[in-house]
Amino acid sequence: MTAYEPVIGLEVHVELKTATKIFCSCSTDFGAPPNTQVCPICLGMPGVLPVLNRRVVEYALRAALALGCEVEPASQFARKNYFYPDLPKGYQITQYERSYAYRGHLDIEADGTSRRVGITRINIEEEAAKSFHGTRGPGGAGESYAPPRPSPDSPESAAGGGDEGEGYSLVDFNRGGVPLIEIVSEPDLRSPEEARAYLIKLRNLLLYTGISDCKMQEGSLRCDANVSLRPVGQEQLGNLVELKNMNSFRSVVRGLEYEIKRQTAVLEGGGRVARETRGWDEGRGATFSMRSKEQSDDYRYFPEPDLVLLRVDQAWLDRVGAEMPALPEARLRRMTQEQGLSEYMAGVIGADPLMAAFFDECVKLQGAGAGAGGGEGAAGVGGAITPAALANWITGDLARLANAEGVEFDALPVGPEHLVDLLRLVDAGRISGKMAKNLLEECWRAGQAGEAGQAGQAGQVGKAEQSGKDRPVAPLPSAIARGKGLEQVSDEGEVARIVASVLSGNGEAVASYHAGKDKALGFLVGQVMKASRGRANPALVNRLVREALGARS
Amino acid sequence: MPAVSAAQVRHVAALARLSWDERSAPKLVGELNEILAYISKLSELDTADVPPTSHALDLRDNVLREDEPRKGLAQAEALADAPDSEAGMFRVPRVVGGQ
């Protein structure tokens, strides 16, 4: 019996998390009331002109760099014509003949082997609006909303749904015009597991670049698959099926497994696999035939006359590369080899791009402070806060607080500046490690209280889009410490004065120390600490008490 | 020269989701072929040395905007010209599945 080999290629759509849409200045914030983030451009009114968002290009270039693509010096937008209510212009602006990036690759490991998967091309394009399908009758549209369509070029066909029959659709254009990139792989994948490995690797890589949330369940990362079978050893590809509607990594694997079984059965039964688009039905665990959609030439692609060529020179590309956060492998190497983190700690930070970004920011802040001679909070000691110490606090106390509250590292109530400030206090001997832990928690609560206050009065003012730049209002730990008189007293003159007064008030203990009773030393140190209300630097107190006793002997 | 057939007319009408009278097919086929013949006069030009262009202006620089949000239309304004609306959304005939 013939053995068949699956050949799989993936098309991944990724929503870019810019502040505004691709061709107009409407906000891309999620969750606003329907049709409140719209304008004549994204509603497809006549006579308007699209203007490309610079950040869309820069984010798209990050993806191209991360995937090792060649970036075209000039690329072109095209109109893809089809008629659907979520596409108000009657066409989607995308790229077709001249994409901006080609010939990249992604290395994956699956089933115990590693494989280099080719990236054919990446396109920049616009998102469609969101439609809800309803039927008339009791309950109305509200109860029979279907999930949003997975992508602009995949008219989802609910099984058996008729064109313009009973029922109606409701359209919300807030999502229409949100920027997307479409990453098309070569048909280099050979199993559902490899497809999964590719998606996870791609997701992590893109998370690192900071261009998208990449949440499959929320639709900011979507995947279509092309899958065909061929007899093992045969070069020529079999008839290809395009698989859609897979909304999780798991459903990609299940959908592909099902499709491979189905096609194998067709071929073994002597039949031919039909070239078609099929949808994955998660509930039934099966794929179903979607009615034949437009063929490529039905879209009548042509160059978008409303936009000029997109030109990217080397200087721009270099600039984007320089601003890009480090990628996972380079980052892990840097953390262990240059920053002195243990493999374990680097692994913990490396696995969470948001935590990694927080760590990077701390290292940067700390470096800046040390270079400038320590700054106001650092008491001039500067430079001794190692990346490893920062990593320790981040993966320890901060991660514990974050886990307990269920917040991600891009939305903590305290920022990198708080942690660096805190560690500078410890480093300068102004607070003890134990005080630092309490202070961090206090700072955290203050930040939360501040956020609650802000949200109450300001409503939704710009999201923390650039990973937490306009973060927390929590006061710095040094300010809290100062306000509460918590700081350690490390001023030698001040501690010496306390020591002197304690010794002269405890003549008996001083005498018994000189009589050889070492226990008296501990008592005297304790008295000094008490007199300073616990604020005196213990090491300093110890030394000064010994010195003072020595001088009196 | 390409010629339009009745089948193509049907196909394009379906793609465009136009309702039309099947009896007008012969008339449409004739008219569309006339239009194509007219346009195809352009192919008599020698364009061997003319680079393809997609824009009337030969702009060498990018035209870009900064990523700064601006207020668009209010919901009521957006829906003002809609033939039908419900729950703040445009209400349209149900269209599910491609042609």
Side-chain angles (χ1 to χ4, degrees), chain A residues 19 44 102 109 147 191 308 331 363-364 371 385 480 485 519 543:
Chain A
Y102 291 94
E109 309 231 333
S191 70
V308 295
R331 183 187 292 264
V363 171
K364 210 163 92 194
I385 308 173
I480 297 180
K519 255 172 72 182
R543 178 166 67 79

Side-chain angles (χ1 to χ4, degrees), chain A residues 214-281:
Chain A
C214 295
K215 289 187 178 152
M216 228 175 152
Q217 277 71 4
E218 292 176 14
S220 59
L221 185 148
R222 302 188 293 260
C223 176
D224 299 334
N226 291 318
V227 51
S228 62
L229 295 188
R230 64 180 173 193
V232 172
Q234 178 182 304
E235 186 67 19
Q236 202 198 334
L237 296 178
N239 268 352
L240 178 147
V241 166
E242 192 176 356
L243 197 55
K244 292 181 176 294
N245 282 358
M246 299 166 295
N247 296 323
S248 66
F249 292 133
R250 204 173 90 89
S251 64
V252 170
V253 173
R254 290 181 67 203
L256 284 171
E257 280 171 349
Y258 179 90
E259 193 53 27
I260 289 166
K261 267 194 214 130
R262 187 189 70 84
Q263 293 186 20
T264 304
V266 170
L267 292 172
E268 284 177 349
R272 276 171 60 89
V273 173
R275 253 192 101 93
E276 62 177 344
T277 299
R278 297 180 71 86
W280 168 247
D281 184 332

Side-chain angles (χ1 to χ4, degrees), chain A residues 382-442:
Chain A
I385 308 173
T386 60
L390 288 164
N392 210 0
W393 277 84
I394 289 170
T395 57
D397 286 84
L398 262 189
R400 182 177 52 76
L401 285 166
N403 282 341
E405 311 261 340
V407 290
E408 299 277 355
F409 260 79
D410 62 346
L412 302 185
V414 300
E417 64 275 22
H418 293 91
L419 184 60
V420 169
D421 180 73
L422 184 76
L423 292 202
R424 281 188 183 147
L425 289 178
V426 177
D427 186 54
R430 289 162 69 163
I431 56 172
S432 67
K434 193 170 164 227
M435 288 161 83
K437 280 180 194 287
N438 294 335
L439 202 48
L440 180 66
E441 288 210 32
E442 194 162 336

